[in-house]
């Protein structure tokens, strides 16, 4: 009898493991497909401001270009290294320092994507902005949108993805480096979804407890 139970439990464990692996694999394929399908918004699209999440010169260069084109009134560069000055960024991007002095804000506080989301929302609130262009790498867009959406009072976000050339092959498939990066990012996205769901459940439980006490 015990032998049968053990075999049944083993079969069940194998089935659950197989189903879980298939679910994760399917989710990763959908994630990679969605990232590959990301496209920049139409040229005529306007926003109140522009936010660049640091992580590569390509992102900052594109953000500066959008600011010059008048796609937003101000630009926030979030997650800047504390040893990096506005003058250094102006030189790196070949930008007139006057543009930085006029219309570029540097955020030295954010240390990760959660911090980026919080600082982006705070910056938008301080300037009265309700719609922002978000410039970051294509693989980073899904997690960035999740984190910003999880901040109370977050503005409307229009993603402006930047595609790193070394991550994608000419035929549209990810390179080896790109595949590893997508897998890592997918795991982070799952972690963010789990954390946000847990926070929502805890908030709902707290509201239920308060309502129960008041009744």
């Amino acid at each position: 009898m015990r032998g049968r139970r053990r075999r049944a439990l083993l079969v069940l464990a194998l089935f659950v493991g197989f189903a879980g692996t298939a679910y994760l694999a399917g989710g990763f394929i959908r994630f990679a497909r969605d990232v590959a399908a990301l496209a920049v918004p139409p040229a005529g699209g306007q926003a109140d401001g522009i936010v660049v999440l640091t992580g590569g010169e390509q992102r900052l260069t594109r953000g500066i270009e959008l600011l010059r084109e008048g796609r937003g009134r101000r630009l926030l560069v979030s997650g800047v290294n504390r040893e990096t000055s506005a003058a250094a960024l102006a030189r790196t991007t070949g930008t007139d320092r006057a543009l930085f002095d006029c219309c570029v804000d540097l955020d030295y506080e954010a240390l990760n994507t959660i911090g980026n989301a919080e600082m982006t929302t705070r910056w938008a609130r301080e300037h009265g902005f309700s719609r922002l262009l978000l410039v970051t790498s294509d693989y980073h867009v899904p997690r960035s949108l999740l984190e910003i959406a999880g901040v109370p009072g977050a503005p409307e976000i229009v993603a402006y993805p930047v595609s790193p050339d070394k991550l994608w092959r000419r035929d549209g498939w990810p390179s080896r480096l790109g595949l590893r990066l997508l897998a890592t990012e997918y795991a982070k996205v799952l972690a963010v979804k789990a954390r946000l769901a847990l926070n929502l459940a805890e908030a709902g439980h707290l509201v239920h407890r308060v309502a129960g006490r008041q009744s």
Side-chain angles (χ1 to χ4, degrees):
M1 190 67 176
R2 290 182 179 178
R4 292 181 179 178
R5 288 181 179 178
R6 288 177 181 176
R7 286 194 295 271
L9 288 175
L10 178 59
V11 171
L12 179 61
L14 290 174
F15 174 78
V16 171
F18 177 78
T21 300
Y23 175 80
L24 291 175
F28 172 69
I29 292 173
R30 288 191 298 272
F31 173 76
R33 181 189 61 197
D34 292 344
V35 170
L38 287 172
V40 299
Q46 297 292 323
D48 300 314
I50 305 163
V51 177
V52 172
L53 305 187
T54 56
E57 183 179 334
Q58 189 178 7
R59 301 182 189 182
L60 181 58
T61 300
R62 184 57 54 87
I64 292 294
E65 291 175 352
L66 292 172
L67 181 63
R68 286 172 171 163
E69 294 171 3
R71 300 285 293 275
R73 300 198 295 272
R74 293 191 69 83
L75 167 66
L76 170 68
V77 185
S78 180
V80 180
N81 188 298
R82 291 186 178 277
E83 298 180 358
T84 304
S85 64
L89 292 178
R91 289 194 300 270
T92 299
T93 58
T95 305
D96 189 340
R97 176 60 190 276
L99 182 63
F100 268 79
D101 294 338
C102 160
C103 308
V104 179
D105 299 310
L106 304 183
D107 157 38
Y108 292 99
E109 295 185 29
L111 301 177
N112 49 37
T113 306
I114 297 175
N116 292 145
E118 294 172 346
M119 293 305 299
T120 294
T121 301
R122 183 189 306 176
W123 180 75
R125 186 181 301 118
E126 290 174 351
H127 292 281
F129 293 162
S130 60
R131 191 169 192 264
L132 304 178
L133 282 180
L134 177 70
V135 182
T136 190
S137 296
D138 51 10
Y139 63 85
H140 191 226
V141 166
R143 183 157 58 100
S144 301
L145 294 180
L146 279 173
E147 293 288 14
I148 294 176
V151 179
E156 177 188 355
I157 299 295
V158 178
Y160 200 105
V162 174
S163 298
D165 295 332
K166 61 182 179 180
L167 301 183
W168 300 94
R169 303 185 325 202
R170 292 184 177 180
D171 59 7
W173 288 89
S175 63
R176 287 187 178 181
L177 175 61
L179 192 60
R180 289 197 299 270
L181 186 55
L182 283 171
T184 300
E185 193 65 22
Y186 176 60
K188 292 180 179 180
V189 166
L190 291 179
V192 172
K193 289 183 176 180
R195 174 170 52 81
L196 293 177
L198 181 60
N199 291 343
L200 184 61
E202 290 179 346
H205 179 65
L206 179 59
V207 170
H208 180 72
R209 288 180 60 186
V210 172
R213 290 176 180 176
Q214 291 178 346
S215 62

